Amino acid sequence: MRTILLLASALITAPVVAQRSMPQPLPIVDALPTARDAPFPGTLRLHVDATDTVRGVFRVEQTIPVPPELAGKRMALLFPKFLPGKHAPRGEIEKLAGLEIRAGGQVLTWKRDLVDMFAFWVEVPAGAAALDVRFQFLSATEGPQGRIVVTSDMMNLQPNSVSLYPAGWFTRQIPVELTVTWPQGWQAGSAMREASRAGTRVSYQTVDYETLVDSPFFAGRHFAKWDLGGNVTLNVVADEARFLKASDEQIGKHKALVSQAVKLFGTRQFDHYDLLLSLTEKMGGIGLEHHRSSENGVDTGYFTDWEKGPGRRNLLPHEFTHSWNGKHRRGADLVTPDFRTPMRNSLLWVYEGQTQFWGYVLQARSGLVSVDDTLDQLANIAATLDNRPARSWRSLDDTTNDPLITPRAPKGWPSFQRSEDYYNEGLLMWLEADAIIRGESAGQRSLDDFARRFFGTGEGDWGVKPYDFKSLVVDLQAVQPYDWAGLLQRRLTEKADGAPLKGLELAGWKLVYTDKPTAAFTDATRRTVNLAFSGGLVLGTAGKVEQVIWNSAAYDAGLAVGDVLLAVNEVPFSDDALKAAVSAAKGAAAPIRLVVKSEDRVRSIDLAWYGGLRYPRLQRIGNTTTSPLEMLLTAKK
C-alpha cells in the first residue's frame, strides 16, 4: 500500500514534459497562369506623364483589355521582375505607389499574390471589356533609395518601371501603344519610333511588350544626336549644353566603332540602333544593353576632357557588341517567356565575357582608345585577377551566379569573395582562344572568324537565336579543330592561385610590374590611391580604406574596409606621404608605421611591405615587331 501511495505521489508531483509540436507546412501554390505563346486578344494602351522633374514622379495611366475568358473571373497583372541585361530580379516594385484599378468606372479591389510580390490579382466584373489602371512610379530622389533616373535637366525613362502586363501570355505576344508627355522643350532618344505628336505628347509606334521593355528613353533639356552610319544614331543628353561640344574627329571614331563592328560580325542584327549616352554628374550611371539600343551613363567630360585619358570610352563598344552577343545570340537558359520566369545565367562567360573581349578589341580598332592604352588596360585586368586569392576556392563558372547572389551590392572582401569575374576572366579566356586559333591555323584564322559565323546569322534579324555549350563548341571546332570543350571546361572549373594568363603569353606578352604607373592605370584610378599591388590596399578620399586584398601585407596588418589612415611614419596622412613611405620601404628592414582610426578607436599598426611601388604593364615577349595581340587590335580594312 505504501508503495502504491509513493508512486501515486510521484506521478502527481512530477513535472509534465511538453511534447514539441511538429506541424506540416502549407504547400507553396503558384496560382499565376503559365505564359502561353499565343496572341493576346487586344492592345494595351499606356500613357506616361514624365513632366514632374522636381519630384521625379512618373504618373501612369494604362488600359488593359480583358480577355473574354477572364470576364467575371480573377485576372493577374504583373510588374516586370526579372530584367534582361541585369540577369536578376531587379524590378523596383517598392517604388510603385497609388495603384488604382477600375472597370467601367467602378473601383475594383486588388490583392497582391501571396507568393509573387510582383503580381496583383483583381476580380473582373462580368461584361467588363478593359481594366483602367493608374499608379505612380516614385523614382529615387537620393542615392540610398536607388539609382537617380530624373534630374532637372534629364531623365532615363525605362518602360519596365511604368507599366503592368497581363499574366498568362508570352510578352512578345502582347501589343502595346505608348504615349509619353515630355517636359516642355525636351528631346528624347530611343529605339522607339514616333507615330504622331501633339505638343509635348508623343505617340509611338505599336510594339510588343517585350520590345517595349527593351526600348528605354534618354531625354533632356540639352540634347544632341549624330548619324553614325549603318542606321545607327548617337543620342546624347548632358547636364549643360557645353558638354555636348564634340569634335568631328571624336564623332568620326564613333562612326568607326559602327563600321568596325559590322566588319567584325558581318551583319547588323538590328533594323536600326540607338546609342543612348548621358553626360552627367547628377543622374545615376548605367551601362545596360538592349537589342536596338543601349543605356550608357558617363561623366560630363566624355567629349570635353577627351585628352585626359580613355575614361569610360570602353562602355559604348561593350554595350554595342551586345546587340550581337547577348541579345541576338543568347544562352538558351536565359530565354524566358515573360519577366517573372527566373533567369539562369550559366553562359554569362560568353554573354558578358566575350562581349568584354570584343569591347576592348573594338575600342582599339575604332580609335576610341589607342592600342597602347588598350594594352595597358589589359594589364590592369590581368593583374587584378592574378592577385585575387578567391580563385583558389571559387571557380569562374560559379561567378555567373553573382547577379542572383548579390546584385552588385558592396562586398567587404571582393578579392576573397569574387564578384562578376565572368566579365574580365572571360575576356582572358577568349583572348586565349583567339591566340590558339591564330597559332593552330598559322595565322590564317582568328576569333574574328568565329564571331562572323556564330553571331552574324542574318542581316537585320533582331530576333533571338539561342545556343548552348555544345553548339558553341561545334562552331569553334568548325573554325579551328581543337579540344575546345576540354579547354573551356578547364578554364571554367579550375581553382588556381593565379589568373589564366596563357592567352597573353601566346599573344606575345607577359604581365610585369614597374614602379611607374601607366597612363591607363592613372586614368582608371584617378579618384583613388591604388596600392592593390603595393601592399594590398586601395584608398578613397581622405585616407579611407576602400579595399584590402586578402592575405596581403595590409590584410596581415589588420586593415579593413572603412578604416581611415591618420598618420604615416609619424607624419599626418596624405596620399603622397603614403606613396613615398611605400617607395622608401623597398628592401628596408623596418615596416611602415600607420596610425589608423577604426570606428571609435585609434590604433597603431605596422605595414610590413618591402616591395615598393608596383604597377602592372605588359612586356613584349621576344623581338617580334607585331604580336598576335597587336594584330587582334588592328582596325579591319
Side-chain angles (χ1 to χ4, degrees), residues 182 186-190 194 197 204 217-220 223 225 235 237:
W182 297 106
W186 285 32
Q187 298 181 67
S190 173
E194 287 190 22
R197 177 185 289 263
Y204 294 91
F217 296 82
F218 275 12
F223 181 94
K225 66 179 181 179
N235 306 267
V237 291

Side-chain angles (χ1 to χ4, degrees), residues 152 254 304 420 449 536 598 609 611:
S152 58
H254 290 82
T304 55
E420 297 175 354
D449 297 278
S598 302
W609 170 254

